[in-house]
Amino acid sequence: PFFGRWELASLAADGLGNIYLSDPLLAKIFVYDSKGGSKTFDIITPARMVGLPDGGFYAFFLTGPIIGLAEISVQGLLSHISISLNNIPDDCFVLPNKDIVMSFDSGEVSLLSVKNSRTTVIVNDPKASFISIAPDRKNEDQFWLFDQNRNEIVLKDESDQLIPAAKTENPGILLPDPEGVLFLEESGKRYLIQAKKTAVHDWWMR
């Protein structure tokens, strides 16, 4: 697309290979499938999107001061979900049961049970700023966090301990990887981080 305001855009990919790009200025969601086809939805303007394993995506959106959540299918069908949140998550991912793990720059990580609309705090560190989160592909009870305040990547293990994995030089985002987690710096550099193998200040680079 040639129009829009892409610095405010939200991007998501689902388990079927569909990519969703939301542009708040145009109030449209652009959908690109794995075969090269494309279409647009204009049913909602998400503030954040996250793809679903079986296709489609969740969309967090604002209606005045109220934060809403909707599930949107690949066909564009919308279903509202009752939630109670004070802030849009800075990042999130979806578990196989379709619950959402959310991270916030306030240092909180919460689990949103979509079925019963219940939110449970998993991590609460007021000194941290968890702006990025990614699942651990080897163990669904673990996940990775990037703490912007400390410039540090940590692993939340099965016992709910935060294990330091690596220090960063620049901000970036986390992406899931079968061998650990990828850290993509704003500069474009990409690093593979592995718990108990990647020492602080040391990098395993691809």
Side-chain angles (χ1 to χ4, degrees), residues 14-190:
D14 67 20
L16 301 181
N18 299 301
I19 297 173
Y20 307 91
L21 178 61
S22 168
D23 176 32
L25 186 63
L26 293 180
K28 291 184 181 294
I29 300 170
F30 297 87
V31 185
Y32 304 93
D33 64 33
S34 58
K35 298 180 181 179
S38 64
K39 55 187 174 183
T40 59
F41 300 153
D42 57 3
I43 51 179
I44 199 171
T45 305
R48 180 161 302 282
M49 301 187 296
V50 58
L52 296 172
D54 55 355
F57 61 97
Y58 287 137
F60 292 91
F61 61 94
L62 290 169
T63 304
I66 306 299
I67 296 173
L69 177 65
E71 179 178 347
I72 301 175
S73 71
V74 178
Q75 294 76 30
L77 300 177
L78 183 146
S79 175
H80 285 279
I81 300 168
S82 176
I83 61 169
S84 177
L85 289 177
N86 295 323
N87 297 290
I88 298 286
D90 286 83
D91 200 5
C92 55
F93 68 89
V94 178
L95 295 170
N97 65 1
K98 299 180 74 172
D99 287 347
I100 310 172
V101 182
M102 309 173 293
S103 68
F104 299 86
D105 63 5
S106 62
E108 181 181 302
V109 180
S110 299
L111 173 67
L112 174 60
S113 175
V114 173
K115 187 176 181 179
N116 58 27
S117 304
R118 181 181 300 169
T119 302
T120 305
V121 176
I122 304 172
V123 177
N124 188 12
D125 182 355
K127 295 182 179 180
S129 177
F130 297 128
I131 64 168
S132 188
I133 189 172
D136 185 80
R137 293 299 191 204
K138 294 182 178 180
N139 188 338
E140 66 177 51
D141 293 323
Q142 301 186 154
F143 54 78
W144 299 84
L145 292 162
F146 172 58
D147 178 2
Q148 181 176 239
N149 287 349
R150 299 184 179 102
N151 285 326
E152 187 174 57
I153 298 166
V154 298
L155 174 70
K156 197 287 293 183
D157 68 7
E158 294 174 301
S159 61
D160 291 336
Q161 298 297 310
L162 296 181
I163 302 172
K167 285 283 188 179
T168 69
E169 295 181 358
N170 298 295
I173 61 170
L174 298 173
L175 298 172
D177 186 275
E179 298 302 319
V181 71
L182 290 177
F183 182 67
L184 183 63
E185 282 191 349
E186 288 182 348
S187 64
K189 291 181 180 179
R190 185 177 62 169

